[in-house]
Amino acid sequence: MGLHILYDVLAKLFFFLQLALFIQCVFVASAAGMLASPLMHAVRRTPATNWAGAVAMRVLAEHILGITVEVIGAENLVHARNRPCIIVANHQNLLDTVWLSWVFPRRAVIVANMFISRIPVLGWFMRLGGNLFVKQGDNQSVRALFEDSLHYLEKERTSIVMFPEGKRNPSESGTLLEFKKGAFYLAYCTRAPIIPIAVQCTHPLYSWDSYRFRRNCIIRIRVLAPISTQCLAEEDIPALVSNTRNEIQKACISLTSIASHTDIAA
């Protein structure tokens, strides 16, 4: 009984130490992005502030947190270099910050919940990077998001990263929530290609309820083939939403299976 209690105490201590390291990494990466911001503004590359912060986060995650990312299908991201795209991915927990740093395009902004803009340092960095914020359930905020997104895609030639589930998905099995159609309607209006990204279920790597935050681990993601919207009709949007969700779901299941078998083998 005494050893069991000691193990629980040590496990919780390690969890909070790793969490504290993660928060420090986010703040340092945000600060690095803010330091790069004046230069990016000077050359009219405001969204590249986000890329600078992502590069810093990638280095910190790998060397401080002991987390790496395996990207399958990275060649599909080339499309985001040549023209603005809409990148859609499943949304889980704070580890999304880590894998995003491996694939974030040089010219891109992300859509985030409004409360993130109020977080010291991180919120300041994201505002400097020109990222977009939305208040859930606020129709005026949603309309403003749509108009700003149109401006980025059509005028600024900047890609947008969106999470069509609309909120963090706490599923332990990796089952996706239903997708909202906003990103897909935006693609219809701008004819921007959609790049789906599937991320393995990261619940075995991080869980607040279970006091789990693993080190020396790999997050596996798959960048799926871009989806052209050049000939997309408005009535085709529901099918596009459903098909994209299904493809991401299948890839998530496959990646999670690979991860679980690798862990067992290790």
Side-chain angles (χ1 to χ4, degrees), residues 144-162:
L145 170 64
F146 183 77
E147 292 171 1
D148 291 341
S149 298
L150 285 176
H151 175 79
Y152 269 121
L153 289 166
E154 297 181 334
K155 305 296 184 183
E156 299 291 336
R157 308 289 296 172
T158 297
S159 296
I160 299 179
V161 180
M162 306 181 77

Side-chain angles (χ1 to χ4, degrees), residues 56-73:
M57 187 63 195
R58 174 176 178 172
V59 173
L60 292 167
E62 194 167 9
H63 296 285
I64 303 298
L65 301 176
I67 302 175
T68 58
V69 178
E70 179 183 328
V71 182
I72 303 168

Side-chain angles (χ1 to χ4, degrees), residues 69-98:
V69 178
E70 179 183 328
V71 182
I72 303 168
E75 66 276 5
N76 290 321
L77 288 169
V78 172
H79 294 265
R81 299 178 188 171
N82 302 327
R83 61 169 299 178
C85 300
I86 298 174
I87 298 172
V88 297
N90 52 311
H91 192 19
Q92 298 180 76
N93 51 47
L94 51 77
L95 291 182
D96 291 341
T97 308
V98 177

Side-chain angles (χ1 to χ4, degrees), residues 97-116:
T97 308
V98 177
W99 68 257
L100 265 173
S101 67
W102 257 258
V103 297
F104 207 87
R106 191 178 291 266
R107 288 188 59 81
V109 295
I110 190 169
V111 176
N113 195 297
M114 185 65 73
F115 84 88
I116 294 179

Side-chain angles (χ1 to χ4, degrees), residues 86-226:
I86 298 174
I87 298 172
V88 297
N90 52 311
H91 192 19
Q92 298 180 76
N93 51 47
L94 51 77
L95 291 182
D96 291 341
T97 308
V98 177
W99 68 257
L100 265 173
S101 67
W102 257 258
V103 297
F104 207 87
R106 191 178 291 266
R107 288 188 59 81
V109 295
I110 190 169
V111 176
N113 195 297
M114 185 65 73
F115 84 88
I116 294 179
S117 67
R118 304 187 184 99
I119 299 176
V121 185
L122 175 60
W124 306 338
F125 158 67
M126 292 191 68
R127 285 189 178 278
L128 279 174
N131 293 286
L132 304 173
F133 301 97
V134 61
K135 185 176 181 181
Q136 296 291 341
D138 187 321
N139 291 333
Q140 184 175 354
S141 176
V142 173
R143 284 195 296 271
L145 170 64
F146 183 77
E147 292 171 1
D148 291 341
S149 298
L150 285 176
H151 175 79
Y152 269 121
L153 289 166
E154 297 181 334
K155 305 296 184 183
E156 299 291 336
R157 308 289 296 172
T158 297
S159 296
I160 299 179
V161 180
M162 306 181 77
F163 298 104
E165 289 174 287
K167 60 182 179 180
R168 290 183 177 182
N169 182 1
S171 171
E172 297 183 14
S173 64
T175 302
L176 303 184
L177 301 174
E178 291 302 315
F179 279 12
K180 299 181 183 300
K181 70 175 184 179
F184 304 90
Y185 185 73
L186 185 63
Y188 159 72
C189 292
T190 61
R191 302 302 175 186
I194 297 171
I195 301 180
I197 295 182
V199 186
Q200 72 169 86
C201 178
T202 54
H203 184 268
L205 308 180
Y206 171 84
S207 171
W208 176 271
D209 294 334
S210 301
Y211 298 104
R212 179 171 57 250
F213 200 147
R214 287 187 55 186
R215 290 183 61 84
N216 303 318
C217 62
I218 300 173
I219 299 174
R220 292 173 174 83
I221 70 174
R222 182 183 296 275
V223 183
L224 303 178

Side-chain angles (χ1 to χ4, degrees), residues 221-242:
I221 70 174
R222 182 183 296 275
V223 183
L224 303 178
I227 302 170
S228 174
T229 60
Q230 287 298 319
C231 300
L232 182 69
E234 186 170 1
E235 58 266 26
D236 297 329
I237 293 176
L240 176 62
V241 174
S242 178

